[in-house]
PDB file of all heavy atoms in Angstrom:
ATOM      1  N   GLY A  41       1.022  -3.141 -29.221  1.00 87.00           N
ATOM      2  CA  GLY A  41       1.691  -3.847 -28.135  1.00 87.00           C
ATOM      3  C   GLY A  41       0.666  -4.486 -27.207  1.00 87.00           C
ATOM      4  O   GLY A  41      -0.540  -4.254 -27.332  1.00 87.00           O
ATOM      5  N   PRO A  42       1.124  -5.273 -26.229  1.00 89.00           N
ATOM      6  CA  PRO A  42       0.216  -5.984 -25.333  1.00 89.00           C
ATOM      7  C   PRO A  42      -0.337  -5.146 -24.176  1.00 89.00           C
ATOM      8  O   PRO A  42      -1.182  -5.611 -23.422  1.00 89.00           O
ATOM      9  CB  PRO A  42       1.089  -7.118 -24.794  1.00 89.00           C
ATOM     10  CG  PRO A  42       2.469  -6.548 -24.804  1.00 89.00           C
ATOM     11  CD  PRO A  42       2.522  -5.662 -26.033  1.00 89.00           C
ATOM     12  N   GLY A  43       0.101  -3.928 -24.017  1.00 90.00           N
ATOM     13  CA  GLY A  43      -0.290  -3.108 -22.879  1.00 90.00           C
ATOM     14  C   GLY A  43      -1.781  -2.870 -22.749  1.00 90.00           C
ATOM     15  O   GLY A  43      -2.313  -2.823 -21.634  1.00 90.00           O
ATOM     16  N   ALA A  44      -2.487  -2.720 -23.867  1.00 91.00           N
ATOM     17  CA  ALA A  44      -3.927  -2.439 -23.792  1.00 91.00           C
ATOM     18  C   ALA A  44      -4.694  -3.630 -23.242  1.00 91.00           C
ATOM     19  O   ALA A  44      -5.668  -3.457 -22.502  1.00 91.00           O
ATOM     20  CB  ALA A  44      -4.467  -2.038 -25.159  1.00 91.00           C
ATOM     21  N   LYS A  45      -4.248  -4.839 -23.559  1.00 93.00           N
ATOM     22  CA  LYS A  45      -4.910  -6.021 -22.987  1.00 93.00           C
ATOM     23  C   LYS A  45      -4.680  -6.074 -21.479  1.00 93.00           C
ATOM     24  O   LYS A  45      -5.566  -6.448 -20.719  1.00 93.00           O
ATOM     25  CB  LYS A  45      -4.407  -7.293 -23.662  1.00 93.00           C
ATOM     26  CG  LYS A  45      -4.907  -7.440 -25.082  1.00 93.00           C
ATOM     27  CD  LYS A  45      -4.413  -8.703 -25.724  1.00 93.00           C
ATOM     28  CE  LYS A  45      -4.921  -8.798 -27.159  1.00 93.00           C
ATOM     29  NZ  LYS A  45      -4.366  -9.944 -27.866  1.00 93.00           N
ATOM     30  N   MET A  46      -3.486  -5.689 -21.055  1.00 94.00           N
ATOM     31  CA  MET A  46      -3.176  -5.639 -19.639  1.00 94.00           C
ATOM     32  C   MET A  46      -4.038  -4.566 -18.966  1.00 94.00           C
ATOM     33  O   MET A  46      -4.591  -4.791 -17.880  1.00 94.00           O
ATOM     34  CB  MET A  46      -1.686  -5.332 -19.421  1.00 94.00           C
ATOM     35  CG  MET A  46      -1.247  -5.415 -17.977  1.00 94.00           C
ATOM     36  SD  MET A  46       0.480  -4.912 -17.673  1.00 94.00           S
ATOM     37  CE  MET A  46       1.372  -5.577 -19.047  1.00 94.00           C
ATOM     38  N   ALA A  47      -4.179  -3.411 -19.613  1.00 95.00           N
ATOM     39  CA  ALA A  47      -5.012  -2.342 -19.057  1.00 95.00           C
ATOM     40  C   ALA A  47      -6.460  -2.796 -18.937  1.00 95.00           C
ATOM     41  O   ALA A  47      -7.118  -2.533 -17.922  1.00 95.00           O
ATOM     42  CB  ALA A  47      -4.918  -1.095 -19.926  1.00 95.00           C
ATOM     43  N   ARG A  48      -6.957  -3.487 -19.957  1.00 95.00           N
ATOM     44  CA  ARG A  48      -8.330  -3.993 -19.923  1.00 95.00           C
ATOM     45  C   ARG A  48      -8.525  -4.901 -18.703  1.00 95.00           C
ATOM     46  O   ARG A  48      -9.507  -4.786 -17.972  1.00 95.00           O
ATOM     47  CB  ARG A  48      -8.655  -4.749 -21.205  1.00 95.00           C
ATOM     48  CG  ARG A  48     -10.027  -5.416 -21.179  1.00 95.00           C
ATOM     49  CD  ARG A  48     -10.306  -6.183 -22.443  1.00 95.00           C
ATOM     50  NE  ARG A  48      -9.354  -7.275 -22.599  1.00 95.00           N
ATOM     51  CZ  ARG A  48      -9.352  -8.108 -23.621  1.00 95.00           C
ATOM     52  NH1 ARG A  48     -10.232  -7.976 -24.592  1.00 95.00           N
ATOM     53  NH2 ARG A  48      -8.464  -9.067 -23.706  1.00 95.00           N
ATOM     54  N   LEU A  49      -7.580  -5.784 -18.471  1.00 95.00           N
ATOM     55  CA  LEU A  49      -7.658  -6.695 -17.329  1.00 95.00           C
ATOM     56  C   LEU A  49      -7.633  -5.934 -16.004  1.00 95.00           C
ATOM     57  O   LEU A  49      -8.409  -6.223 -15.089  1.00 95.00           O
ATOM     58  CB  LEU A  49      -6.514  -7.713 -17.386  1.00 95.00           C
ATOM     59  CG  LEU A  49      -6.446  -8.710 -16.235  1.00 95.00           C
ATOM     60  CD1 LEU A  49      -7.674  -9.613 -16.235  1.00 95.00           C
ATOM     61  CD2 LEU A  49      -5.176  -9.542 -16.340  1.00 95.00           C
ATOM     62  N   LEU A  50      -6.768  -4.929 -15.896  1.00 95.00           N
ATOM     63  CA  LEU A  50      -6.667  -4.154 -14.663  1.00 95.00           C
ATOM     64  C   LEU A  50      -7.917  -3.308 -14.416  1.00 95.00           C
ATOM     65  O   LEU A  50      -8.356  -3.160 -13.271  1.00 95.00           O
ATOM     66  CB  LEU A  50      -5.410  -3.287 -14.675  1.00 95.00           C
ATOM     67  CG  LEU A  50      -4.094  -4.074 -14.580  1.00 95.00           C
ATOM     68  CD1 LEU A  50      -2.906  -3.179 -14.903  1.00 95.00           C
ATOM     69  CD2 LEU A  50      -3.935  -4.719 -13.220  1.00 95.00           C
ATOM     70  N   TYR A  62     -13.260  -2.959 -25.437  1.00 95.00           N
ATOM     71  CA  TYR A  62     -11.876  -3.042 -25.900  1.00 95.00           C
ATOM     72  C   TYR A  62     -11.896  -3.267 -27.406  1.00 95.00           C
ATOM     73  O   TYR A  62     -12.668  -4.090 -27.903  1.00 95.00           O
ATOM     74  CB  TYR A  62     -11.152  -4.201 -25.208  1.00 95.00           C
ATOM     75  CG  TYR A  62      -9.798  -4.507 -25.801  1.00 95.00           C
ATOM     76  CD1 TYR A  62      -8.685  -3.750 -25.461  1.00 95.00           C
ATOM     77  CD2 TYR A  62      -9.639  -5.543 -26.718  1.00 95.00           C
ATOM     78  CE1 TYR A  62      -7.448  -4.020 -26.010  1.00 95.00           C
ATOM     79  CE2 TYR A  62      -8.403  -5.818 -27.270  1.00 95.00           C
ATOM     80  CZ  TYR A  62      -7.313  -5.052 -26.912  1.00 95.00           C
ATOM     81  OH  TYR A  62      -6.085  -5.311 -27.463  1.00 95.00           O
TER      82      TYR A  62
END
Side-chain angles (χ1 to χ4, degrees):
K45 288 181 181 175
M46 187 185 320
R48 175 181 63 181
L49 179 65
L50 291 168
Y62 170 81

